[in-house]
C-alpha cells in the first residue's frame, strides 16, 4: 500500500517535494514510478527510480528540473520538483512495480491515492 503526500499550491519557480510512503516490508524490491494526470488529460509518466536506486529516468518535460530518490530504511521515495511551471499542475501519483522499472503505467501493480500540485503563474 502506498501513500503519497506533499502536494500544494505554489507560485511558478517554486519547489515542492512529494513523498511516497510504503507499508510493504519488501519496499527495496520495488521500483517506484511517478505519474501525473491533469484534468481532461491522460495519465503521463514523470519519472522512475529503480529498485536498486542505481537508475533513474525522466520525461523530457521534467528531466532538468525533477529528481527522484529513495530511502529504503524508511520505505519512502521522494519526487523533488524544482522550478515548477504552471503546466506541471496535475494530480501526482506514485506507483510500485516489482523489480524492473518502467515508463508504462499499466505495468505498475500498486498505486498511491494521488496528491494535488497546483502551480500559479
Amino acid at each position: 500500500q502506498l501513500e503519497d503526500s506533499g502536494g500544494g499550491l505554489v507560485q511558478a519557480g517554486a519547489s515542492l517535494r512529494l513523498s511516497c510512503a510504503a507499508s510493504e516490508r519488501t519496499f527495496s524490491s520495488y521500483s517506484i514510478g511517478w505519474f501525473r494526470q491533469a484534468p481532461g488529460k491522460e495519465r503521463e509518466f514523470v519519472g522512475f527510480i529503480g529498485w536498486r536506486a542505481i537508475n533513474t529516468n525522466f520525461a523530457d518535460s521534467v528531466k532538468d528540473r525533477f529528481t527522484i530518490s529513495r530511502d529504503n530504511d524508511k520505505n519512502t521515495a521522494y519526487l523533488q520538483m524544482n522550478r515548477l511551471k504552471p503546466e506541471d499542475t496535475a494530480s501526482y501519483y506514485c506507483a510500485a512495480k516489482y523489480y524492473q522499472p518502467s515508463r508504462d503505467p499499466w505495468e505498475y501493480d500498486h498505486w498511491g491515492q494521488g496528491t494535488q500540485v497546483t502551480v500559479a503563474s
Side-chain angles (χ1 to χ4, degrees), residues 11-14 61 65 82-89 119-120:
Q11 295 293 316
S61 58
R65 300 182 294 121
N82 300 322
R83 304 195 308 276
L84 282 161
K85 302 176 181 180
E87 51 263 45
D88 294 320
T89 295
V119 184

Side-chain angles (χ1 to χ4, degrees), residues 85-112:
K85 302 176 181 180
E87 51 263 45
D88 294 320
T89 295
S91 292
Y92 282 72
Y93 301 85
C94 68
K97 177 184 179 295
Y98 204 50
Y99 285 134
Q100 296 302 318
S102 172
R103 296 168 68 106
D104 184 350
W106 291 100
E107 295 192 19
Y108 286 80
D109 304 306
H110 308 281
W111 288 82

Side-chain angles (χ1 to χ4, degrees), residues 1 10 33 43 45 48 51 63 69 78 94 106 112 114-115 121:
Q1 195 162 358
V10 297
R43 187 166 298 189
F45 169 75
F48 67 59
W51 64 285
K63 66 181 179 180
S69 61
Y78 305 96
C94 68
W106 291 100
T115 184
S121 57

Side-chain angles (χ1 to χ4, degrees), residues 25-66:
R25 289 180 296 172
T26 57
F27 176 78
S28 61
S29 298
Y30 287 82
S31 291
I32 301 298
W34 286 94
F35 298 84
R36 66 187 183 186
Q37 187 166 19
K41 295 187 177 181
E42 293 187 355
R43 187 166 298 189
E44 66 172 350
F45 169 75
V46 174
F48 67 59
I49 184 166
W51 64 285
R52 293 180 176 177
I54 296 175
N55 57 328
T56 58
N57 187 267
F58 296 92
D60 287 344
S61 58
V62 307
K63 66 181 179 180
D64 295 326
R65 300 182 294 121
F66 292 8

Side-chain angles (χ1 to χ4, degrees), residues 65-77:
R65 300 182 294 121
F66 292 8
T67 59
I68 297 176
S69 61
R70 64 189 298 159
D71 184 339
N72 288 341
D73 290 336
K74 295 183 178 179
N75 287 355
T76 302

